[in-house]
Amino acid sequence: MKQNEGKIGIRDYMAIILLTLGSKVSDDTPTLLYKTAKNSAWISMLGIALLSLIPILFLLKVFSVHRNKNLHEINLHLFGKVMGNLISMGVLLLGFSSFVLDTSVYVDIIGSMYFTRTPTLALYILMLVVCGYGAKRGIESIGSAAWLTLFYLKATLFLALIFAFTKGNLKFIFPLWGPGTLEIAKTTGSKLSIFADFYFLGIIAPLVSSFKEFRKGTLWAFAIVVVEITAALIIFVILFDFTSIEVISYPFHETILYLSIGFLSNVESMFLPFWLVAAFIRFSFYLYLVVTLFGGIFKIKEFEYLVPVFIVIVLFLGIMPKNLTYTLPYLREMILGILSPLFFILPILMWGMAKLRGDFKREAEQSH
């Protein structure tokens, strides 16, 4: 593993965030929002972003006084050895569960919409092998690959969304408040963990070249991702109308299958290669985070050897659910429901413990 051989700069760090969180546009995340917020899913997304900013800022404040520690090391420092390990193990369990479900979602997308004749098991094995190779290469390689892919992926995404917008009907966005402010508020609270990735980014905080770049990259990437996902949610609604879109499992892929641009009757042929590469990078990064956290908790230095073991476990768990199209949304909602309050509360609790321990005061004294 290369986590100890170098650091990544703000460019690669932002590229990783923009690929991993930006890819939520193309999975079942929009469907989960439309299910309750209907055509006002984009308003819920803005509410989610505003609420998510609170734990992100608290988390950044904690990392500002522990610049050489990762998330697990800070948990041990703030909560003690026993409680710190328990919190980190809970985070590991939830993160690993999300990783399994997300990979299952992507395999379902690939198998049901593009490679319908290819066995699901073969698709899953291929994806996990590629992701395992990426994870073993380390954070520097993942960051470089994310940066090289980012422009092409975002360019094709922007092109697809612009053409979708021209074919849509703006009247479908009304009534503006959809099912009502209460449902929008419920959706906002229950889906807060859409941005929980920013909590898990604490695992690689010391691997970013400086805290200043870590903070700046986090906030800028957060702002860009919010704009991107919100715009996509609006465009999906005006293209399909909420009565149709709430029963569509993967709105983005339905969009690119629906569109034709000039002589390109199959837009997916232009987008699919970059989307697949982005998916491999995304899950390589998630696997890297899971294995790194596991190695930290159990004090395993050469934890690159754990990658094949985790791949086998993910494969076994990922192929267990039957009727993926119906089972996965239920499981995803359950995980999101558990993660949402934890994502909001844990950073605030960490800040409170750091305050009680006098970490901020000591940092201020040292700076003078």
Side-chain angles (χ1 to χ4, degrees):
M1 301 284 275
K2 295 187 176 181
Q3 73 278 2
N4 293 322
E5 295 181 12
K7 296 188 175 186
I8 57 173
I10 189 172
R11 184 191 71 178
D12 290 351
Y13 175 63
M14 284 187 65
I16 289 172
I17 299 175
L18 294 175
L19 275 190
T20 53
L21 273 97
S23 297
K24 291 180 185 287
V25 167
S26 60
D27 59 22
D28 63 340
T29 301
T31 303
L32 296 176
L33 293 172
Y34 290 127
K35 188 177 179 181
T36 51
K38 311 297 182 184
N39 62 307
S40 299
W42 65 277
I43 297 178
S44 288
M45 175 51 60
L46 292 177
I48 291 168
L50 287 173
L51 277 180
S52 296
L53 193 57
I54 297 171
I56 289 171
L57 290 176
F58 274 106
L59 199 64
L60 288 172
K61 184 64 177 174
V62 173
F63 276 100
S64 71
V65 294
H66 297 289
R67 302 190 179 193
N68 296 317
K69 291 184 174 71
N70 62 28
L71 183 65
H72 173 59
E73 291 166 341
I74 291 177
N75 283 339
L76 293 178
H77 170 78
L78 295 177
F79 301 105
K81 186 175 180 181
V82 175
M83 186 57 69
N85 274 312
L86 285 174
I87 291 173
S88 291
M89 287 180 71
V91 169
L92 174 65
L93 181 62
L94 289 170
F96 181 69
S97 300
S98 297
F99 175 65
V100 173
L101 290 176
D102 285 347
T103 53
S104 296
V105 167
Y106 269 67
V107 169
D108 186 49
I109 293 171
I110 296 169
S112 63
M113 305 198 72
Y114 300 107
F115 300 98
T116 54
R117 296 183 181 180
T118 307
T120 301
L121 183 61
L123 292 172
Y124 218 145
I125 291 172
L126 178 61
M127 185 173 75
L128 289 176
V129 167
V130 174
C131 293
Y133 173 75
K136 286 195 70 174
R137 293 278 295 174
I139 192 65
E140 290 176 279
S141 295
I142 293 172
S144 297
W147 172 250
L148 290 173
T149 310
L150 185 65
F151 172 77
Y152 302 102
L153 178 70
K154 297 304 180 183
T156 51
L157 172 66
F158 179 76
L159 189 63
L161 291 180
I162 287 295
F163 273 89
F165 180 78
T166 61
K167 293 179 179 292
N169 185 346
L170 280 173
K171 292 179 181 179
F172 289 160
I173 207 172
F174 299 100
L176 202 60
W177 295 101
T181 53
L182 182 60
E183 285 300 323
I184 292 173
K186 287 180 181 177
T187 304
T188 299
S190 62
K191 304 298 187 297
L192 199 63
S193 56
I194 286 173
F195 291 112
D197 291 37
F198 284 99
Y199 178 77
F200 291 97
L201 286 171
I203 297 169
I204 64 161
L207 301 182
V208 181
S209 55
S210 69
F211 172 75
K212 184 179 178 181
E213 294 200 342
F214 176 71
R215 185 180 188 279
K216 186 178 178 181
T218 298
L219 294 176
W220 271 108
F222 175 74
I224 294 169
V225 167
V226 169
V227 171
E228 186 175 272
I229 297 177
T230 304
L233 290 170
I234 294 172
I235 290 169
F236 295 154
V237 166
I238 66 174
L239 184 65
F240 295 111
D241 192 12
F242 81 92
T243 54
S244 301
I245 204 164
E246 61 183 333
V247 297
I248 295 175
S249 297
Y250 309 114
F252 178 78
H253 297 276
E254 292 289 351
T255 298
I256 61 175
L257 288 170
Y258 171 81
L259 292 178
S260 59
I261 304 174
F263 64 90
L264 287 174
S265 56
N266 297 319
V267 178
E268 70 274 12
S269 62
M270 177 180 67
F271 181 80
L272 184 60
F274 301 115
W275 178 78
L276 285 174
V277 172
F280 293 145
I281 295 171
R282 176 185 181 182
F283 294 123
S284 295
F285 178 62
Y286 284 169
L287 182 58
Y288 177 87
L289 292 181
V290 167
V291 175
T292 301
L293 183 56
F294 185 90
I297 293 170
F298 295 100
K299 298 180 180 179
I300 302 171
K301 292 183 178 180
E302 297 182 354
F303 48 85
E304 68 269 22
Y305 300 112
L306 296 172
V307 171
V309 177
F310 272 90
I311 286 176
V312 173
I313 296 172
V314 171
L315 180 64
F316 175 74
L317 294 175
I319 62 174
M320 282 181 64
K322 304 299 179 183
N323 298 321
L324 291 179
T325 305
Y326 301 101
T327 307
L328 288 177
Y330 169 75
L331 294 173
R332 282 260 290 155
E333 279 203 80
M334 184 175 68
I335 292 293
L336 286 173
I338 297 170
L339 266 175
S340 290
L342 291 177
F343 169 53
F344 190 82
I345 293 169
L346 276 176
I348 299 174
L349 187 61
M350 291 168 69
W351 178 85
M353 290 299 296
K355 192 80 172 174
L356 287 173
R357 293 178 65 92
D359 292 348
F360 299 117
K361 187 178 180 180
R362 282 194 295 272
E363 179 70 17
E365 290 172 353
Q366 289 173 7
S367 63
H368 289 297

